[in-house]
Amino acid sequence: MTTTEPRVLHDRYRVLSPLGAGGMGSVWLADDSLLDRRVALKELVQHLGATELKERRLRALREARAMARVKHPAIVRIHDVFFVDSDPWIVMEHISGRSLADMIKGSPLSERATAGIGRPVLSGICAVHRAGIVHRDVKPANILVADDNSIFLVDFGIAKIAGDTQLTGQSRMLGTTEFMAPERISGQAVGPASDLWSLGITFFCALEGYSPFLRRGESGQEATMMAILHEDPPRPMSHGRLAEITLRMLRRKPSERPDAAEVDDVLRAILDLSERSAPRPRRPADDAPDRPGQPPRP
């Protein structure tokens, strides 16, 4: 019986198992033998044409630059970039946990749980914007909840960096259609408000358990785009501050959407209110009878 030896890249990264795959690349779990730690390796998708492969190589390097530019607890740290046969591999911090998309498959989240995840994601998005980057792919699948409950926004594969020259395929729409802001679909300028739209769709999915503009069927993608451009989102079944601001985040005109500070105020208020309304731990004195001569405690 023969066993296949794990692949070793760059003389130090021992590839262990796949972590996930998407349109832009595949992610692998690996051991860094030099520093004795687990890492995640991202490679390009294979079997591409020469022109597309060249574009993807440039885009992978741009993703690495985008991740390296942002310093924030909700943004996965990048450790290194190396090349194998001219293809870049991105070495990232490995996060053990599950995605928000997996969490909401079974049932929607409560307002407080959604706010608890959404607030660090929003903070990370703001750090991305301060670095001159628009993420352009905010969605539940790109939000990770680690085993220690820390939150991460991942996958900068189609991020737009201020000052970068246009790539060959930049005119094509990249990303998941149902999370795209109307201005992306209509070919207008894309800014921070576009990421807030996508975060609003993410909030809606978490609260309601479905995507508001997703249309299925043979012409599902075109129908989804038409719904984003011309239809209002359905009224959420859940009630509360988060549902209300989510609807405002999904206004078609970017100038009519709330900014990040206003959204954060709502998220913080939800979490503060939840903390105040939680039962107070009982102390031994709480069970003691009232002493004679003192008014009864309320």
Side-chain angles (χ1 to χ4, degrees):
M1 181 177 179
T2 61
T3 59
T4 304
E5 285 294 321
R7 186 183 181 190
V8 177
L9 302 173
H10 203 50
D11 295 328
R12 63 184 283 189
Y13 299 111
R14 183 167 166 262
V15 181
L16 300 177
S17 60
L19 291 174
M24 301 299 294
S26 301
V27 183
W28 299 82
L29 178 66
D31 276 333
D32 181 351
S33 59
L34 184 62
L35 297 180
D36 191 23
R37 62 182 175 183
R38 286 283 166 92
V39 296
L41 302 180
K42 185 171 184 178
E43 67 165 335
L44 290 172
V45 293
Q46 302 300 315
H47 311 299
L48 298 171
T51 302
E52 189 176 3
L53 181 59
K54 180 181 178 180
E55 177 189 324
R56 292 293 176 89
R57 286 170 174 166
L58 292 173
R59 194 176 295 282
L61 291 176
R62 192 172 71 165
E63 176 181 7
R65 289 200 301 270
M67 295 176 65
R69 184 182 292 190
V70 183
K71 308 298 182 186
H72 190 274
I75 305 301
V76 175
R77 290 190 293 263
I78 180 172
H79 297 317
D80 193 12
V81 176
F82 64 89
F83 292 83
V84 175
D85 298 328
S86 300
D87 290 336
W89 287 67
I90 303 174
V91 186
M92 303 174 291
E93 175 185 12
H94 171 240
I95 306 300
S96 177
R98 56 179 180 158
S99 73
L100 178 59
D102 288 335
M103 292 177 63
I104 61 181
K105 277 180 181 176
S107 62
L109 302 183
S110 68
E111 181 183 59
R112 185 180 187 279
T114 304
I117 294 172
R119 194 163 186 233
V121 172
L122 176 63
S123 180
I125 290 173
C126 290
V128 168
H129 293 166
R130 287 193 297 270
I133 301 167
V134 181
H135 188 279
R136 302 201 305 173
D137 205 17
V138 178
K139 59 185 179 181
N142 286 340
I143 296 171
L144 297 185
V145 180
D147 293 338
D148 63 358
N149 289 325
S150 53
I151 312 297
F152 295 90
L153 175 66
V154 301
D155 200 341
F156 285 71
I158 62 172
K160 183 179 185 296
I161 304 176
D164 264 16
T165 56
Q166 293 266 350
L167 292 177
T168 307
Q170 193 77 355
S171 58
R172 299 199 318 270
M173 281 194 302
L174 300 172
T176 307
T177 306
E178 64 190 280
F179 295 94
M180 289 182 185
E183 57 269 25
R184 280 201 67 197
I185 294 175
S186 58
Q188 300 174 27
V190 172
S194 299
D195 281 344
L196 291 182
W197 165 284
S198 300
L199 184 62
I201 298 287
T202 299
F203 286 164
F204 194 104
C205 291
L207 290 172
E208 300 298 305
Y210 70 95
S211 184
F213 295 109
L214 177 63
R215 304 292 184 266
R216 304 186 185 277
E218 190 173 333
S219 343
Q221 184 171 7
E222 291 77 10
T224 298
M225 288 191 284
M226 289 299 102
I228 292 171
L229 290 174
H230 303 294
E231 297 179 22
D232 293 328
R235 188 77 188 176
M237 295 294 292
S238 56
H239 300 285
R241 295 184 180 186
L242 186 53
E244 292 300 323
I245 197 140
T246 294
L247 290 178
R248 293 178 55 208
M249 294 168 75
L250 300 184
R251 290 178 176 171
R252 281 189 285 275
K253 289 185 179 180
S255 60
E256 295 181 355
R257 297 171 201 155
D259 61 14
E262 186 176 355
V263 176
D264 185 66
D265 285 344
V266 172
L267 298 177
R268 186 178 66 250
I270 292 169
L271 296 173
D272 288 348
L273 182 62
S274 299
E275 290 295 334
R276 288 197 299 269
S277 61
R280 181 170 61 90
R282 295 176 65 86
R283 297 176 300 173
D286 292 337
D287 296 321
D290 296 317
R291 286 180 291 179
Q294 288 188 337
R297 290 191 301 270

